[in-house]
Amino acid sequence: MCESVIMYRLHRFLQIGLSVILAVLAGGARSVVDTSTSPHVKFRNVDMDAVQWTDGFWAQRFELCRDVTIPTLVQVMQKPDNSASFRNLRIAAGVAEGKFSGNNWSDGDCYKLIEAVAAMYCVTRDPQLDGLMDEWIEVIARAQAPDGYISTQIQLTGRQRWQDLHHHELYNMGHLLAAACVHHRATGKDNFLCIARKLGDYLCTVFLPRPKELAHFGFNPSNIMGAAELYRTTGDSRYLKLAQTFVDMRGSVSGGSDQNQAKVPLRKEQEAVGHAVTAAYLWCGAADVYAETGERALLDALSRLWVDVTERKMYITGGTAALHTGEADRRLLRRWPRDSVHEAFGAPYRLPNLTAYNETCANIANAMWNWRMLVLTGEAKYAEVMERVLYNSMLSGVSIEGRDFFYTNPLRRVKDAPLLSNDSATRWPDTTPASPVHCFCCPPNIARTLAQLSGWAYGISDDTVWVHLYGSSVLDGRLADGTTMRLAQKTRYPWEGRVTITVEKSPEIPLALRLRIPGWARGATLQVNGEDPRGDIHPLDYVTLERRWSPGDTVVLDLPMDVELVEAHPLVEETRNHVAVMRGPIVYCLESPDLPRSVTVDEVRLPRRPSWHVRHESTLLGGVTVLETEGSAVPKSASSAALYRPAAEGPVRPAKLRLIPYYAWSNRGPGDMAVWIPLE
Ligand SMILES: [Zn+2]
């Protein structure tokens, strides 16, 4: 253990001894985002190993992440010609020869993988993972400069530190801080944390004086979350100050850009603009700062931006980046000149399907932000968005086999339409030169999300256990007084809406069980030990069951899972007279392999009141529930190359339609796909 860690542990103990003891008793200090002593949250996140997926949807994904995705990424990220590679760190450590290669953010993506491995280790206790992490950490320790700085794209290229925010130094460092905290919580070891402390101390010397020239530094601010988590791990308040400084500096002097959310200070920002990952990482960091400081202006800004995103700029899949490139929208503040932005939020209601960017990282960042907003407020609307992303635009980023990835996640694909930046016809395994995409940020982001997701499913406050996500699992939740509540959840969600929760262990005091009712679950019913509990159940809210629980008590929640046609706000130009099909949290799509040979995706029309046949196909695409109905196909145009031509005549043909979950598209070769379908 490094000396500074011992000192600060002692310091923290003396400073906030009682609350730390209570937090340790109550659990949550080993969660991915540790809110166990955060004063301004509605519940504590559960420890990473407090929840085990037992079977079903998320257990299947967790096992795939353990058995395929993580081992694949470990191999791919050793390749020197992959755009993110551990080799750069090994060269900086002096244990390998060569030049820096890959993207400026290569280190950060390596740390993201370490974070995934640490979270996986916390659940599986696989000693091989522990050994692997120790090897990497040894290399990182050697690569770190004596003053704490570490970023191999600078160290190995002779470039000066802090010259260009696109060098991504703070992005890399932020991921190091976060990964080190998760590693410490998972293993109890301090080897990575000592590196993080040294880096954190270095960052304090550079940034706490708030040098004007670095006001807008740090593209893609994972550093705010990283500094906040380092504070939570060590109790050293300088790191909280550092996180807050990173938030405060953006937009504090003129010259910042919308692309990086640095034109307007966050507290004054009215609109979601710019790069969709950097925006959501900034908002995640600000939410972490609010959890510790309770500064109302931060929460107000985040709430305002959330409304702008979810009511005007988010896809039905939870994706948030409409633009590959374009101009920042300054609708409300017309006096501002517009900035050129890329990989970014579009203007309000500008949600094109074919050219949607929706980087997998941006979608995940949206879920991470909504998880944090849920923790701050306890409001179900945030869990709803989080779940929307998880089942749709996060999972679409990875193949059913778990080893190929999408960077962009459009909602329509026409085989012959040109691909835009970072689009690819199918998913890819790596970003070596032959690959269609040359950025490897998304794959380790998916891995860490899948490895950590069980920790998002529940929360615990003083006398309440919260259930945010449904999936067969066992929770060993430690309560405020140190006692344990053990719950077993059984469900075939998201394919069926019945959830059975059995109490296996509970202290003999009144406790509340708070279950989330999704917005689409109108008419949900609840039984406790076969009887109706009194009280109303409202969609998009939590229902609270308070009683003295005994082992064997059983709660059965039935969430009606009807197939629903969803339309968009009429200002969304691209979806006029179209509908999307949802069942439960799953967004469906049409894909060419599921249509009759003579029918293309673009010819399909859906009746206004289709009668659906809902069928589970256990061998299709890893096991999916498909939706079948009778639709129609309009006649093909005779002159398909003309921009404008007479509408085709001829009979409308009946067409048997089968829809699959959007996340499962593009697992059967290149083809056409559409989420939004025109009505007959
Ligand atoms: Zn990415």
Side-chain angles (χ1 to χ4, degrees):
M1 190 188 290
C2 54
E3 199 179 320
S4 59
V5 168
I6 300 172
M7 286 303 295
Y8 275 100
R9 288 247 175 97
L10 187 62
H11 175 74
R12 189 186 196 196
F13 181 78
L14 295 172
Q15 192 184 28
I16 44 173
L18 185 62
S19 62
V20 171
I21 291 168
L22 284 175
V24 169
L25 272 178
R30 286 188 299 110
S31 55
V32 174
V33 174
D34 172 12
T35 55
S36 59
T37 58
S38 304
H40 304 283
V41 296
K42 289 286 186 281
F43 54 83
R44 299 185 305 278
N45 295 320
V46 295
D47 287 338
M48 281 179 277
D49 55 353
V51 181
Q52 304 264 352
W53 299 119
T54 47
D55 62 52
F57 193 90
W58 289 121
Q60 203 183 330
R61 264 91 201 153
F62 180 86
E63 285 161 17
L64 195 70
C65 181
R66 180 192 64 200
D67 300 339
V68 178
T69 307
I70 285 180
T72 303
L73 295 185
V74 168
Q75 281 191 348
V76 168
M77 293 176 78
Q78 305 306 320
K79 293 183 185 177
D81 56 351
N82 195 60
S83 64
S85 174
F86 278 95
R87 180 167 163 275
N88 293 321
L89 286 159
R90 286 208 304 277
I91 298 170
V95 297
E97 304 258 312
K99 285 186 190 163
F100 177 85
S101 62
N103 292 327
N104 283 326
W105 49 95
S106 167
D107 292 3
D109 295 337
C110 293
Y111 304 139
K112 251 188 273 179
L113 180 61
I114 303 179
E115 190 188 321
V117 171
M120 184 57 72
Y121 170 77
C122 195
V123 178
T124 64
R125 297 288 160 196
D126 175 354
Q128 272 193 323
L129 295 182
D130 191 27
L132 187 62
M133 289 190 288
D134 281 342
E135 274 173 39
W136 284 333
I137 292 164
E138 175 76 36
V139 167
I140 296 164
R142 283 168 181 245
Q144 188 172 33
D147 65 353
Y149 181 94
I150 177 165
S151 226
T152 63
Q153 79 285 13
I154 302 299
Q155 292 166 289
L156 297 177
T157 57
R159 293 188 282 192
Q160 296 297 305
R161 297 177 185 180
W162 313 121
Q163 293 302 302
D164 183 342
L165 64 94
H166 297 104
H167 290 166
H168 282 74
E169 289 151 280
L170 281 177
Y171 170 83
N172 290 338
M173 295 176 186
H175 279 297
L176 186 153
L177 301 179
C181 291
V182 172
H183 174 265
H184 171 73
R185 290 168 197 165
T187 62
K189 295 182 183 181
D190 288 322
N191 47 348
F192 204 4
L193 188 60
C194 287
I195 298 170
R197 287 297 309 253
K198 203 167 147 186
L199 171 58
D201 293 347
Y202 167 77
L203 289 173
C204 286
T205 63
V206 175
F207 285 92
L208 286 187
R210 295 187 57 157
K212 271 205 166 64
E213 68 277 13
L214 296 184
H216 303 145
F217 221 82
F219 191 72
N220 215 344
S222 58
N223 46 301
I224 310 173
M225 285 180 274
E229 227 52 61
L230 189 60
Y231 161 69
R232 289 163 170 168
T233 310
T234 62
D236 184 342
S237 59
R238 286 177 313 143
Y239 302 138
L240 176 59
K241 184 82 193 143
L242 182 64
Q244 180 147 18
T245 301
F246 286 137
V247 174
D248 296 349
M249 283 172 83
R250 289 195 165 213
S252 61
V253 298
S254 59
S257 160
D258 277 324
Q259 168 69 358
N260 202 21
Q261 295 80 37
K263 183 164 227 159
V264 180
L266 175 62
R267 291 170 184 81
K268 293 187 178 165
E269 185 57 276
Q270 304 292 322
E271 295 170 67
V273 289
H275 196 286
V277 185
T278 74
Y281 277 13
L282 169 64
W283 303 335
C284 284
D288 286 341
V289 170
Y290 172 83
E292 307 305 327
T293 65
E295 186 201 335
R296 189 73 215 179
L298 276 183
L299 187 61
D300 287 348
L302 294 175
S303 307
R304 197 164 60 230
L305 291 164
W306 187 87
V307 169
D308 190 42
V309 171
T310 57
E311 294 187 2
R312 290 180 278 273
K313 294 174 178 169
M314 188 176 78
Y315 284 91
I316 192 170
T317 57
T320 48
L323 296 178
H324 283 248
T325 58
E327 286 180 331
D329 167 58
R330 280 289 167 204
R331 181 177 35 108
L332 298 177
L333 302 167
R334 288 180 196 283
R335 65 183 181 276
W336 292 95
R338 291 172 172 214
D339 283 353
S340 160
V341 295
H342 62 271
E343 313 186 338
F345 288 102
Y349 308 109
R350 186 177 166 191
L351 295 163
N353 297 309
L354 189 65
T355 59
Y357 195 76
N358 288 344
E359 177 184 345
T360 304
C361 284
N363 309 340
I364 290 173
N366 189 26
M368 290 165 60
W369 176 41
N370 275 280
W371 181 33
R372 282 164 170 79
M373 295 299 283
L374 172 65
V375 175
L376 300 185
T377 63
E379 290 181 37
K381 64 182 183 182
Y382 298 112
E384 186 97 348
V385 176
M386 172 178 109
E387 181 175 65
R388 183 183 288 274
V389 173
L390 294 172
Y391 281 109
N392 301 295
S393 56
M394 185 274 286
L395 269 190
S396 59
V398 60
S399 65
I400 295 297
E401 253 95 59
R403 53 171 69 86
D404 296 300
F405 306 93
F406 267 143
Y407 187 108
T408 59
N409 294 276
L411 279 74
R412 180 177 170 224
R413 169 62 45 79
V414 179
K415 211 166 48 188
D416 300 328
L419 298 173
L420 303 181
S421 57
N422 290 320
D423 284 342
S424 54
T426 52
R427 295 181 184 84
W428 35 264
D430 56 32
T431 52
T432 50
S435 169
V437 171
H438 302 288
C439 180
F440 207 68
C441 52
C442 305
N445 223 352
I446 290 177
R448 71 171 175 160
T449 307
L450 290 173
Q452 297 169 352
L453 194 61
S454 60
W456 300 30
Y458 297 87
I460 296 179
S461 47
D462 289 347
D463 51 4
T464 304
V465 175
W466 301 61
V467 187
H468 309 306
L469 293 177
Y470 297 113
S472 289
S473 54
V474 171
L475 164 74
D476 270 306
R478 274 186 292 162
L479 301 158
D481 62 357
T483 56
T484 308
M485 189 174 200
R486 187 179 163 91
L487 300 178
Q489 186 188 154
K490 280 262 176 210
T491 180
R492 284 184 38 75
Y493 196 91
W495 310 126
E496 291 173 19
R498 170 162 288 202
V499 178
T500 304
I501 296 175
T502 307
V503 176
E504 297 193 341
K505 196 174 164 192
S506 178
E508 290 177 359
I509 51 167
L511 278 177
L513 202 54
R514 196 168 272 205
L515 309 176
R516 184 172 68 88
I517 309 299
W520 44 262
R522 290 175 293 276
T525 59
L526 199 55
Q527 294 213 314
V528 180
N529 296 334
E531 290 174 15
D532 282 343
R534 269 173 294 172
D536 294 335
I537 301 176
H538 302 286
L540 206 57
D541 201 353
Y542 285 81
V543 62
T544 305
L545 299 169
E546 192 177 356
R547 58 190 284 155
R548 214 177 284 267
W549 298 94
S550 309
D553 283 348
T554 300
V555 176
V556 178
L557 175 65
D558 270 305
L559 303 168
M561 235 179 224
D562 300 325
V563 182
E564 200 161 61
L565 298 189
V566 181
E567 64 174 25
H569 190 287
L571 286 177
V572 181
E573 186 71 23
E574 290 79 359
T575 57
R576 289 187 64 208
N577 200 36
H578 285 54
V579 289
V581 182
M582 289 191 72
R583 182 172 178 271
I586 303 277
V587 175
Y588 278 79
C589 71
L590 270 181
E591 199 186 14
S592 34
D594 299 304
L595 293 178
R597 265 174 198 281
S598 59
V599 176
T600 65
V601 168
D602 278 349
E603 291 164 356
V604 169
R605 300 291 181 270
L606 206 59
R608 286 197 170 269
R609 287 199 178 74
S611 73
W612 295 101
H613 183 52
V614 179
R615 197 154 52 82
H616 194 73
E617 292 260 12
S618 57
T619 55
L620 179 70
L621 297 165
V624 290
T625 293
V626 297
L627 309 179
E628 293 168 330
T629 193
E630 289 284 338
S632 55
V634 294
K636 283 185 211 299
S637 166
S639 53
S640 59
L643 181 56
Y644 303 107
R645 60 270 182 120
E649 291 178 3
V652 171
R653 296 157 285 155
K656 283 196 185 307
L657 307 179
R658 179 168 80 167
L659 280 76
I660 59 160
Y662 167 73
Y663 75 78
W665 86 281
S666 190
N667 280 280
R668 295 168 290 180
D672 290 0
M673 177 276 291
V675 168
W676 291 95
I677 307 167
L679 287 167
E680 277 173 0

